[in-house]
Amino acid sequence: MFLKPFYMALTRLFRRVRRETLTLAPPRRVNRLLWWLAPGLLVKRWLLLSMAGVLLVGVGGMIWLKLTPVFYTGRLLGAALRAFTTHVPNYVSGPLGILLGLGLIFWGQSRTVGAITDVLIPGNEEDLLDALLTQRRLSRGPKIVVVGGGTGLSNLLRGMKRYSSNITAIVTVADDGGSSGRLRREMGVLPPGDIRNCLAALADEEKLLTELFQYRFESGSGLVGHSFGNLFLTAMNEITGDLEQAIAASSKVLAVRGQVLPSTSVDVQLWAELEDGRRIVGESKITEARGRIVHIGCLPPNPPALAKAVKAIEEADYIVIGPGSLYTSIIPNLLVPDLVKAIAARQVPRIYICNIMTEPGETDGFSVSDHIRAIDSACGCYLFDAVLVQKVMPSDTVISHYARAGVGPVLLDRAAILDSGRRIIAANVMEESADLTVRHHSERLARVLLRWYTRTQRLW
């Protein structure tokens, strides 16, 4: 207990010394040495441990030899020291010896670290240090489970990976349109599109590999419209015989922070009953039908959840639902009873991120409380404690642009939301693009979510 204040004081002293040293523009080698001594890298403790090991080996050897070498070595060193201190005072020779010893230790360790760095990241020791510090910080982040699909989920993950590497994205596999739909029909695989987007979003700044994974073919017989990532995941699925293993292999290639999991390994199809009596089967056809959805389900009903997804929820510190298309990205995950049961059982902060704009064919004229009622109706239980909504309305120009397509802002009806038992978290998490479209700003959204988690986790 008494060591903790000492360690905190030492940490503060180190940061102060380093700040002042940087102000004085120190030599590059000194700056690098200070970085390696930074708290949290676990370098100092292993250095001290190795030195203790060397000392123990020496002591053990001397005991084994019955201290004979120690006797003669001690006599020799004693004679040398007496001769030296006769000519040089002890108040000079003592500190000089200590400084010389420390210099040799630091020199040897820096050369060792430099040799390792040149192999791992040639000529970029600062990058290695940054990577080590970032990895240590992210590995201590909360265990976050994000449930959803589509571009909304991948956009959120780009921001969340800055705060934790313990992220699990649970993704819908009900997509039957575009490249994913073609691969699903022709190859009999689960649709890889949303999984690919999430893998790319969680990639650890591997820009070239990410662009390759997202590359979409524009020519070639049978290739037009397919993305490389979809084809890669499909090929890995054929090789491993399992989409879960294919995702794991792709995660290694992209250096993914966290993991991406399908909500179920069963090939499911969405169906919806519309207000006008029509029954539509197929995720892409539901949106095209342009009718008000009164009931939604899947075939086969009650699909089993992926075991890893359930385990991730059971171990989660924080659960986030959305953002994404309400009926085709979020609710499909909640049609898996095991996932719903696991989320409902967790006594941790749980929040739903509501969309900024309505979606034609899905949520025309919906308010925030309408989104909440749709989720409650689909899963049949209370899954989240708060809802995050956009605080400021989009600009008039953006609203006019969307109005031409029959789309408008999702209105905030506070009284109805509070009646549902949810807290309202209002924040400005929107960004407007040059093409007059709006979406959640990944960094702002992640910052607000982590701030709310930090404030509320003490209550659980």
Side-chain angles (χ1 to χ4, degrees):
M1 294 293 292
F2 69 89
L3 288 176
K4 187 173 181 180
F6 173 74
Y7 179 77
M8 297 297 293
L10 185 62
T11 302
R12 289 193 295 270
L13 176 62
F14 167 79
R15 289 174 179 167
R16 179 179 177 183
V17 170
R18 183 176 182 277
R19 186 165 56 249
E20 293 176 356
T21 308
L22 289 175
T23 306
L24 296 173
R28 183 169 177 270
R29 184 171 298 278
V30 174
N31 192 22
R32 286 162 54 186
L33 178 60
L34 287 173
W35 263 113
W36 280 110
L37 294 176
L41 278 178
L42 303 183
V43 172
K44 302 179 296 302
R45 68 187 65 178
W46 302 122
L47 174 60
L48 292 173
L49 187 63
S50 63
M51 292 174 64
V54 172
L55 181 60
L56 282 174
V57 169
V59 171
M62 289 185 292
I63 294 173
W64 191 9
L65 296 173
K66 299 181 179 180
L67 302 180
T68 302
V70 178
F71 175 74
Y72 290 108
T73 303
R75 289 184 61 181
L76 179 62
L77 288 176
L81 288 173
R82 280 192 297 271
F84 183 73
T85 54
T86 300
H87 300 87
V88 182
N90 60 347
Y91 58 84
V92 174
S93 58
L96 185 62
I98 293 173
L99 291 175
L100 182 60
L102 290 174
L104 290 175
I105 292 172
F106 289 148
W107 183 37
Q109 290 299 317
S110 65
R111 296 294 294 179
T112 302
V113 170
I116 296 172
T117 303
D118 288 339
V119 174
L120 297 177
I121 309 178
N124 289 289
E125 184 171 355
E126 289 79 6
D127 292 345
L128 177 60
L129 286 167
D130 289 340
L132 289 172
L133 288 168
T134 300
Q135 181 61 33
R136 290 292 300 169
R137 176 177 59 83
L138 294 177
S139 65
R140 296 171 179 171
K143 295 179 180 179
I144 305 171
V145 170
V146 186
V147 181
T151 56
L153 178 59
S154 57
N155 193 42
L156 167 63
L157 294 176
R158 289 189 184 91
M160 295 294 279
K161 72 179 182 181
R162 300 174 182 272
Y163 297 91
S164 177
S165 59
N166 302 313
I167 300 174
T168 299
I170 299 177
V171 186
T172 176
V173 287
D175 187 10
D176 63 356
S179 170
S180 293
R182 287 168 58 191
L183 290 171
R184 183 178 183 177
R185 291 187 296 271
E186 296 171 8
M187 304 293 294
V189 298
L190 293 177
D194 286 348
I195 294 171
R196 180 203 77 235
N197 289 331
C198 291
L199 287 173
L202 287 174
D204 189 13
E205 304 300 334
E206 297 290 340
K207 189 172 185 297
L208 181 59
L209 284 175
T210 303
E211 289 179 359
L212 176 64
F213 226 59
Q214 296 287 59
Y215 176 77
R216 195 171 293 275
F217 293 95
E218 298 179 356
S219 60
S221 178
L223 286 176
V224 177
H226 280 303
S227 70
F228 175 83
N230 284 358
L231 297 177
F232 181 85
L233 283 170
T234 302
M236 289 298 298
N237 183 66
E238 291 291 308
I239 293 170
T240 62
D242 179 46
L243 180 61
E244 187 178 339
Q245 294 184 40
I247 296 171
S250 303
S251 298
K252 292 180 181 179
V253 171
L254 293 172
V256 164
R257 295 180 186 174
Q259 61 179 344
V260 181
L261 301 172
S263 56
T264 179
S265 58
V266 175
D267 186 14
V268 296
Q269 270 195 319
L270 283 184
W271 60 263
E273 291 180 359
L274 307 185
E275 196 173 40
D276 58 13
R278 287 180 294 165
R279 181 184 172 94
I280 309 297
V281 179
E283 182 260 354
S284 59
K285 294 178 182 178
I286 292 173
T287 304
E288 295 171 359
R290 295 295 182 115
R292 189 176 183 88
I293 299 169
V294 295
H295 195 56
I296 192 165
C298 67
L299 298 171
N302 302 323
L306 199 72
K308 271 192 175 181
V310 174
K311 183 179 179 182
I313 293 172
E314 291 174 346
E315 296 176 351
D317 300 318
Y318 191 18
I319 298 174
V320 180
I321 301 174
S325 300
L326 178 63
Y327 285 106
T328 55
S329 292
I330 295 175
I331 288 181
N333 294 295
L334 305 180
L335 298 177
V336 181
D338 293 338
L339 293 184
V340 172
K341 183 179 178 181
I343 295 173
R346 291 298 292 150
Q347 296 298 312
V348 296
R350 300 168 299 180
I351 191 169
Y352 165 59
I353 305 171
C354 191
N355 291 339
I356 300 171
M357 308 295 290
T358 63
E359 293 188 73
E362 285 199 46
T363 57
D364 299 284
F366 269 39
S367 64
V368 176
S369 66
D370 290 326
H371 284 75
I372 295 173
R373 277 192 292 270
I375 293 175
D376 289 347
S377 175
C379 64
C381 61
Y382 186 94
L383 284 191
F384 53 90
D385 315 289
V387 57
L388 176 60
V389 298
Q390 169 60 23
K391 186 176 183 179
V392 181
M393 292 282 286
S395 65
D396 293 338
T397 307
V398 169
I399 292 177
S400 299
H401 172 75
Y402 273 100
R404 298 188 189 100
V407 177
V410 176
L411 299 179
L412 174 61
D413 45 350
R414 292 181 177 272
I417 297 170
L418 295 175
D419 287 342
S420 72
R422 270 73 175 204
R423 290 182 56 191
I424 300 172
I425 312 299
N428 185 20
V429 291
M430 176 189 70
E431 64 173 335
E432 297 185 1
S433 303
D435 59 356
L436 300 181
T437 59
V438 297
R439 64 176 54 192
H440 287 99
H441 189 282
S442 59
E443 292 184 20
R444 285 185 215 152
L445 181 59
R447 196 180 309 122
V448 170
L449 288 172
L450 266 296
R451 188 182 301 129
W452 183 77
Y453 165 75
T454 302
R455 291 175 180 174
T456 57
Q457 66 172 329
R458 304 170 190 152
L459 303 176
W460 297 95

